[in-house]
Amino acid sequence: MKLVEDSTKQLLRSRGLPVPAGGVATTAAECAELARELGGAVAVKALVAAGRRGKAGLVKLAASPDEAKAAATDILGKEIAGRPVERLYVEKRLDIAEEFYVSFAFSDRAPKIVLSSKGGVDIEHVFETEPGSVLQADIDAARGLRPWDATELWSQAGLTGRTLPTVARLTAELYAAFVALDAQMLEINPLAIDPDGKPCLVGAMMEIDDDALFRHPELAHGPSRHASENPRERAVLEANRAYPGGDSRYTELEGDIGLLVAGGGAGLLQHDLIVGMGGRPANHSDMSPAPGTEKMEAVLDAVFTNPRARSLLIGYNYLQMAPCDHVVKALVKSVARNKVDATRFPIVLRLFGPREAEARALAATIPGIRYLPPGSSLEDGARTIVTLTEQVRENSKQVAGQ
Amino acid sequence: MSILIDEETRVVVQGITGNQGRFDTKLSLAYGVNIVAGVTPGRGGEAVEGVPVFNTVRQAVESTGANAAVLYVPLLGVRDAVIESVEAGCKVLLATTENVPRHDAVAAVAAARNAGAWLVGFNTNGIISPGKCKLGGIGGDDPDAVYPAGRIGVVSRSGGMSAEISWALARGGYGVSTAVSMGGDRTTGRSMSEYLELFEADPDTDAMVIYGEPGTSNESQVGEAIRAGRLSKPVVALVAGAFQENYPAGVSFGHVAAMIGDSADTATAKRRMLRDAGAHVVESLDEIPVLLKGLVPQTAAPRP
């Protein structure tokens, strides 16, 4: 979850880190008032969780409350990613003597620090033009980042004198915040030093690890990944919240082949195979093991009520733990509830493993269903559903033409 | 031979008194796995399926000589459970937990790597050296149906695909030396190429099959290892998820790790990179045994 600037800075401030004074405004008048309180010279920024706001004209410097008001009027009228800017962050401007860059993120297996003595500008541009001035290092997560590790790195980056220990100490504190806040990414640009040698975190962006949000209830008000505009996607998300066990995922796409696929890997491969054979999936899905069938039924209901869907492939990897009839029980319920006629809406099952005999017997109670014979490959499942869906599509064209 | 686990492996099960721990322990014992101890704090002195339960991994290791640990531990306890087993001296660990918070995952991985221990996972259903040992639920109640013994090494980002690959191999007359579901989370204890280097050194493995996905640099490291000459045995690679390239970056369709970050992370880019490095890239399972026939002898009786 990406945080907006005021949340990021509040979190850093609450850990005792030096952040400029600032506040949130929603109108030009509020902005001017805040500017007055902050001493006149302020930066006015669109409060959106997006990078490169400066380039998009969403950050303006003002020397007085009047200028701040004009800047606010300008920015509040703009759009970013199709949404209007509704809130502004108004921040006291500092005298800056030096600017640096530091960020924390992850490589596949370890936390990673990136730092540069060239702060205040786009780091990717710095890396392109002066790659030597950008340092990267993996951090041993079992040990953490000690102040002397940071001193070493900043000294390699060219820092000397009083600035070196100041910036190094702050860097170690930032790493501690990165860990404590379960951040996935924390970027400070610029990390500024004022003419008196005092440091300040002027630009700050942070993203929290979604998998760790459960231990940060204080952040739970933020925009959730559990939100969707699509009613069928929303119903699946609601089922995830309502029932225990692993979550189901359902993402609607533009095609007509409904997919109930599981096992992150086999699901990806089947989708590739279908696309490669000329088919177009109506959705993607993924199931995690859950004690009940409700979350699986929610995905099946979504497929059966999606107006674009003409067919359904239930394609699992060879099951090693979960019983096959668990899936078919969910199917029988959802087929009945949605009054699906499998002779007109093809349903293909590729489902092998524990309790397969029971699953086959139960599936046979649905007229028209195709349960692929033992030994059929993932390719066989993909080919069958693509062919059957093609026939349904042709038939419906003929009907429409009559 | 095989990699990481064999007849000598003595297993301690952390969380043996939970549902999953109990269930997998029963199936593993039936397969002949040497499960010598279980651990659940506060339940020391009990037994599960005849296996003695201890309060700490250290006690279990001291009493039974366990050298490998399987962890059935909920999200909140998994980092500490890994570190506990590492400190107790276990050299192979398997962590089934999925979607582990990144800071917990990297701390556990660092502890294991610093101690020279091999952590399989996170988000794995197991590792199997057929006929010798298995850790985790891999193979379910009938491992022989999917995992006959042979001379092909399998490393997969997905537990389901490790089964599909091994089953496709079995249908084509090949068996596996060891098959490992290395973990589907972004952070895993070891990278794909580290597993392949073990297979490279194993005299009883003739070739390797990998299953990769979008996201992470696991596959690009395999390409580097082939180019650098660290891998000379044939590597057959299946990389799924190309369809995702038709959708905006950052949308995840399966494993959270299988999310495209930049253009080098896509399935298409990974296939191209592996092919350029000298791997044999396939797009479907059925191609794998056909391809292997030109490279290595069959290692198991063909199956219907």
Side-chain angles (χ1 to χ4, degrees), chain A residues 156-180:
Chain A
Q156 284 172 38
L159 267 61
T160 54
R162 214 154 57 102
T163 310
L164 177 60
T166 304
V167 172
R169 204 177 311 116
L170 185 54
T171 301
E173 286 167 10
L174 281 168
Y175 179 74
F178 173 67
V179 176

Side-chain angles (χ1 to χ4, degrees), chain A residues 17 19 26 110 188 332 358:
Chain A
L17 291 161
V19 174
T26 54
I188 307 296
V332 167
E358 289 85 346

Side-chain angles (χ1 to χ4, degrees), chain A residues 43 65 119 194 228 238 251 256 259 306 315 330 356 376 386 388 400 402:
Chain A
D194 75 8
S228 168
E238 275 157 24
T251 310
D256 56 6
L259 292 179
N306 176 4
E356 186 179 324
S376 307
V386 168
L388 291 174
Q402 276 164 8

Side-chain angles (χ1 to χ4, degrees), chain A residues 18-349:
Chain A
V19 174
V24 176
T26 54
T27 64
E30 276 176 32
C31 179
E33 179 56 33
L34 261 175
R36 224 178 326 274
E37 285 170 23
L38 293 168
V42 292
V44 181
K45 317 182 208 184
L47 203 44
V48 289
R52 299 203 174 84
R53 287 174 299 173
K55 275 193 184 151
L58 298 174
V59 175
K60 299 211 177 284
L61 300 181
S64 67
D66 281 347
E67 278 186 38
K69 192 172 182 176
T73 307
D74 183 34
I75 296 174
L76 281 171
K78 294 193 176 185
E79 280 197 354
I80 182 153
R83 286 174 188 266
V85 174
E86 289 173 343
R87 301 195 319 146
L88 300 168
Y89 193 60
V90 187
E91 188 170 70
K92 186 181 172 70
R93 264 166 73 192
L94 307 174
D95 287 336
I96 294 175
E98 292 179 280
E99 295 184 305
F100 306 111
Y101 172 95
V102 60
S103 71
F104 301 97
F106 288 93
S107 57
D108 282 354
R109 244 164 294 285
K112 181 176 80 172
I113 181 172
V114 177
L115 55 85
S116 174
S117 58
K118 316 270 180 196
V121 287
D122 185 359
I123 192 67
E124 282 167 23
H125 178 70
V126 175
F127 188 68
E128 266 169 33
T129 51
E130 299 173 73
S133 71
V134 179
L135 265 71
Q136 304 190 39
D138 275 354
I139 294 167
D140 180 343
R143 179 172 173 277
L145 182 79
R146 308 283 165 85
W148 49 95
D149 300 332
T151 306
E152 194 99 26
L153 287 166
W154 281 113
S155 132
Q156 284 172 38
L159 267 61
T160 54
R162 214 154 57 102
T163 310
L164 177 60
T166 304
V167 172
R169 204 177 311 116
L170 185 54
T171 301
E173 286 167 10
L174 281 168
Y175 179 74
F178 173 67
V179 176
L181 296 169
D182 269 310
Q184 168 116 319
M185 187 278 294
L186 171 61
E187 181 181 68
I188 307 296
N189 190 22
L191 187 167
I193 303 291
D194 75 8
D196 298 329
K198 282 211 196 85
C200 192
L201 309 175
V202 172
M205 286 216 306
M206 182 154 56
E207 191 175 339
I208 305 295
D209 179 3
D210 285 338
D211 289 331
L213 279 177
F214 67 90
R215 56 188 174 204
H216 295 278
E218 76 278 12
L219 300 175
H221 61 274
S224 165
R225 63 171 161 168
H226 301 295
S228 168
E229 308 274 322
N230 177 306
R232 294 171 292 278
E233 292 183 359
R234 222 163 36 231
V236 173
L237 295 169
E238 275 157 24
N240 282 337
R241 272 193 290 271
Y243 299 101
D247 282 354
S248 290
R249 286 160 178 266
Y250 173 85
T251 310
E252 216 157 271
L253 306 170
E254 299 293 316
D256 56 6
I257 299 176
L259 292 179
L260 180 85
V261 292
L268 294 183
L269 180 59
Q270 287 178 105
H271 200 135
D272 274 354
L273 291 167
I274 288 171
V275 171
M277 293 171 188
R280 295 180 67 219
N283 66 281
H284 194 77
S285 64
D286 191 23
M287 307 290 131
S288 287
T293 57
E294 297 90 352
K295 297 186 198 188
M296 206 181 284
E297 288 173 49
V299 171
L300 289 166
D301 289 347
V303 169
F304 291 141
T305 54
N306 176 4
R308 276 193 293 265
R310 298 178 196 273
S311 63
L312 168 67
L313 171 66
I314 300 187
Y316 273 58
N317 55 263
Y318 193 101
L319 289 174
Q320 296 164 84
M321 305 302 292
C324 295
D325 59 341
H326 192 69
V327 181
V328 181
K329 280 177 192 161
L331 177 66
V332 167
K333 283 190 218 166
S334 182
V335 160
R337 182 161 49 236
N338 296 290
K339 302 191 173 54
V340 179
D341 176 0
T343 61
R344 301 160 70 92
F345 187 106
I347 300 177
V348 175
L349 276 82

Side-chain angles (χ1 to χ4, degrees), chain B residues 208 226 233-238 274-275 278-282 291 295:
Chain B
M208 295 87 103
I226 297 173
K233 293 178 182 175
V235 175
V236 179
L238 176 62
L274 284 164
R275 196 177 289 122
H280 304 270
V281 177
V282 295
L291 181 76
L295 301 170

